[in-house]
Amino acid sequence: PALAAASLHLRNQAMLRRQAIEQALRAELEGGHCLALHYQPLFSARDNALVGAEALLRWTHAELGYVSPLEAISVAEDCGLIVPLGYWVLRTACRDASRWQGRHAHPLRVAVNISARQLGDPQFLEQVMDILRAEKLPADLLEIELTETVLMENMEAGAYTLHRLSQLGIHLAIDASGTGYPSPACLPQPPHLGRLKIARCFVRVLPAQEHSRKIVSATLALAHGLGLEVTAEGVETLEQAEYLVEQGCDVLQGYAFARPMPVQQFVELQASH
Ligand code: C2E
Ligand code: MG
């Protein structure tokens, strides 16, 4: 009975936290100032050039403290706030990316994570087009990142949306988060402009672990065979970076190069790069 009571208590605590997050998120979306995006720089493996950044949600709330993007997104998906939250993320990322163009020798793309509910939303396509137009961002400077789970949950409605997005010139990236691996059936096909991302869990154990070495070489062969690029995520050491470059990876992302940072800092990094 003590165990049951403790487990009930924990479940109640978790429920209360989710309710508090929902309330705080609602207030935030109605005009708060605590939601933010940080940008993690992406570097070309070929010549170390800065090629873009991934937008990552950051939220520190006065009472709740730091709420991780995974927790915020999961609550938002459950309570229906994912549509306004996703809109805010996409709009902010496109606005920032539009402003940072022209400061660098070549255009810098912004990658934005999209959740399952967003891709399944019938308004999504139109929202993306409206945002690009309003923020004056060329479509080929936007990359949409989807996890393999998001793809699998949206095979039919999603396929049409993805097709239209790529016709507009928007790039698609599959974030293989390590919870599963994308089946070839849901990989971007022409005219999709695509990329596969190798998850941190594989990169972390490189180059020592044989299984991860095989995952890397198989991913590179599959992606390059299909005309897709490969980004390795979570590159923390020079040794990992060297191995990935040697194997033919296209883009590197990780603490070894740069952590996610506020937009102002990203603009300063561009200037110095
Ligand atoms: P993700 O898309 O796989 O993003 C990469 C995550 O790895 C980020 O965690 C980033 O901070 C972290 N990271 C990058 N380099 C390194 C490294 O070298 N070492 C380590 N240990 N970590 C590294 P973060 O920001 O906590 O985001 C977690 C996940 O939350 C993201 O995974 C993405 O799936 C989701 N997410 C973040 N922002 C958004 C958003 O705006 N919308 C949606 N739908 N999902 C988001
Ligand atoms: Mg991502």
Side-chain angles (χ1 to χ4, degrees):
L3 200 62
S7 119
L8 187 68
H9 176 71
L10 282 179
R11 239 182 304 146
N12 281 340
Q13 292 289 91
M15 209 175 67
L16 286 177
R17 177 163 171 94
R18 288 181 82 84
Q19 277 169 358
I21 289 176
E22 177 181 341
Q23 237 171 43
L25 194 56
R26 191 158 275 135
E28 200 59 58
L29 288 167
E30 279 164 7
H33 301 283
C34 295
L35 282 181
L37 291 183
H38 279 191
Y39 294 92
Q40 186 173 31
L42 304 167
F43 295 95
S44 160
R46 191 162 34 90
D47 56 5
N48 290 325
L50 182 65
V51 291
E54 177 173 4
L56 296 158
L57 186 65
R58 291 292 179 266
W59 186 26
T60 303
H61 184 265
E63 278 132 46
L64 296 165
Y66 176 71
V67 182
S68 80
L70 287 172
E71 192 176 18
I73 297 292
S74 144
V75 172
E77 286 216 290
D78 288 348
C79 69
L81 287 175
I82 191 63
V83 173
L85 177 61
Y87 183 87
W88 180 86
V89 167
L90 199 59
R91 177 117 202 197
T92 308
C94 289
R95 177 178 308 149
D96 287 342
S98 177
R99 288 189 187 150
W100 75 46
Q101 303 306 326
R103 295 168 183 265
H104 199 70
H106 54 261
L108 296 177
R109 196 178 295 161
V110 69
V112 180
N113 295 283
I114 296 296
S115 77
R117 284 281 176 83
Q118 265 178 292
L119 185 64
D121 177 30
Q123 311 286 312
F124 180 64
L125 197 59
E126 213 161 307
Q127 279 186 357
V128 174
M129 292 194 284
D130 285 349
I131 289 173
L132 290 175
R133 205 175 310 124
E135 302 301 344
K136 299 188 174 62
L137 184 72
D140 73 336
L141 295 184
L142 173 63
E143 182 159 291
I144 282 187
E145 286 196 10
L146 308 148
T147 63
E148 71 276 19
T149 335
V150 169
L151 273 177
M152 258 120 59
E153 283 175 22
N154 286 282
M155 279 303 247
E156 264 160 47
Y160 172 76
T161 307
L162 294 182
H163 184 76
R164 289 284 298 131
L165 288 172
S166 72
Q167 275 183 331
L168 293 170
I170 294 166
H171 295 247
L172 304 175
I174 312 298
D175 222 330
S177 48
T179 49
Y181 219 69
S183 97
C186 55
L187 293 177
Q189 289 171 24
H192 289 135
L193 308 159
R195 158 184 321 281
L196 289 187
K197 294 190 81 169
I198 299 178
R200 192 170 74 217
C201 61
F202 300 120
V203 172
R204 200 168 45 85
V205 289
L206 285 176
Q209 200 202 66
E210 191 189 2
H211 177 68
S212 286
R213 291 200 303 271
K214 286 183 177 163
I215 294 272
V216 168
S217 75
T219 305
L220 282 160
L222 177 71
H224 289 163
L226 293 171
L228 308 172
E229 285 202 342
V230 175
T231 294
E233 195 171 82
V235 183
E236 290 187 353
T237 70
L238 204 60
E239 201 188 8
Q240 290 163 355
E242 277 167 0
Y243 180 78
L244 290 157
V245 171
E246 212 178 82
Q247 294 302 304
C249 217
D250 304 289
V251 174
L252 303 176
Q253 171 180 10
Y255 295 173
F257 306 95
R259 291 185 174 245
M261 55 185 76
V263 64
Q264 191 47 43
Q265 210 177 317
F266 181 67
V267 168
E268 283 160 21
L269 179 126
Q270 285 170 44
S272 69
H273 199 76

